[in-house]
Amino acid sequence: MNAKKSKAKRGYAKSAPLLLIALPGIVYLLINNYIPMFGIFLAFKQFDYVKGVFGSDWVGFDNFKFLFHTRDALIMTRNTLLYNLAFILIGTVMAIFVAILLYELGVKARVKLFQSALLLPNLMSWVIIAFIGFSFLNSDSGFINNTIIPLLGGKEIAWYSEGKYWPFILVFVYLWKYTGYASIIYMASIAGIDKGIFEAAKLDGAGKLKQILYITVPMLKPTVIIMTLMSVGRIFYSDFGLFYQMPMNSGALYDVTQTIDTYVYRGLMKLNDIGMSAAAGLFQSTVGFLLVITANGIVRKTDEENALF
């Protein structure tokens, strides 16, 4: 009995430093992700500041109607889904490509230099990025209209009025901001591959390209699946700064920049209805949860080892 107690104490003492390291993250999750769950019932109430949270009237699913009973419902749902699919597919390919390039640089100082340069956009706020974009796209004094297009002999473009260019601009800006950050995870996975496998392939005459195609890329499969499953869970969310700040909230671009998050924000600015915001958040979370369960079920059936649960 005493031996078991002393063994348990040694276990606690051994785990204590790790728990202390994890403590800030656990507290953040509790405050930011779990405590707000108690506000879910606001999605079913007509919130009244005078009556308070518990005294406000129940309204059933009325708060969800503004998400679906408007002419913008199809546009914002289409935009949210298609942009996220593009971000997942192109973003994953680009992150793996950059991770492989960085890993193949070899020299540590060179890797750190390029990695820092690629991470820099991720540290910038969307407000700054939006004004950098404005300096390029502004019709009157923008770099593209005043320098590049005249060189090519083209006509000036009213970038903030013509929506057909913005799907490409938004995808490009998203990749520029997030590819460096996403590549870190894939670089860590590549670094974990047994070097003996590469040595054996080299002895068998495999060049660098074949090593990448037949060793590196297949070995990244578990990481790709986990990252994709996590992204699928947020497929009904959008990066608010990208879709609101980057187009400078231009009304002419709503058809290609309106997503669920920007629609809810604009609705709240006009109506100031907390119940609608809670309904939108609950809808996004529920759909994301169901999509993760479905995607994980598909992975479990095809490749059980790589399923999350």
Side-chain angles (χ1 to χ4, degrees), residues 54-73:
F54 299 104
S56 298
D57 299 328
W58 293 95
V59 292
F61 288 93
D62 284 357
N63 286 329
F64 292 84
K65 288 181 181 175
F66 91 115
L67 281 173
F68 307 104
H69 287 187
T70 65
R71 67 180 184 84
D72 293 328

Side-chain angles (χ1 to χ4, degrees), residues 188-263:
S189 298
I190 295 171
I193 299 173
D194 186 356
K195 303 295 180 294
I197 301 173
F198 292 107
E199 292 297 328
K202 200 174 177 181
L203 289 173
D204 287 340
K208 189 58 74 178
L209 184 60
K210 283 189 176 178
Q211 289 178 34
I212 291 170
L213 290 176
Y214 296 108
I215 298 174
T216 307
V217 174
M219 297 288 270
L220 288 176
K221 183 181 169 186
T223 310
V224 172
I225 290 173
I226 290 171
M227 297 300 291
T228 304
L229 285 174
M230 292 174 70
S231 300
V232 165
R234 296 189 59 81
I235 204 165
F236 263 81
Y237 289 85
S238 61
D239 193 321
F240 181 79
L242 175 64
F243 293 99
Y244 187 83
Q245 300 286 357
M246 191 62 204
M248 294 288 183
N249 195 24
S250 171
L253 304 176
Y254 280 0
D255 279 353
V256 290
T257 60
Q258 185 83 290
T259 61
I260 294 176
D261 293 88
T262 57
Y263 177 75

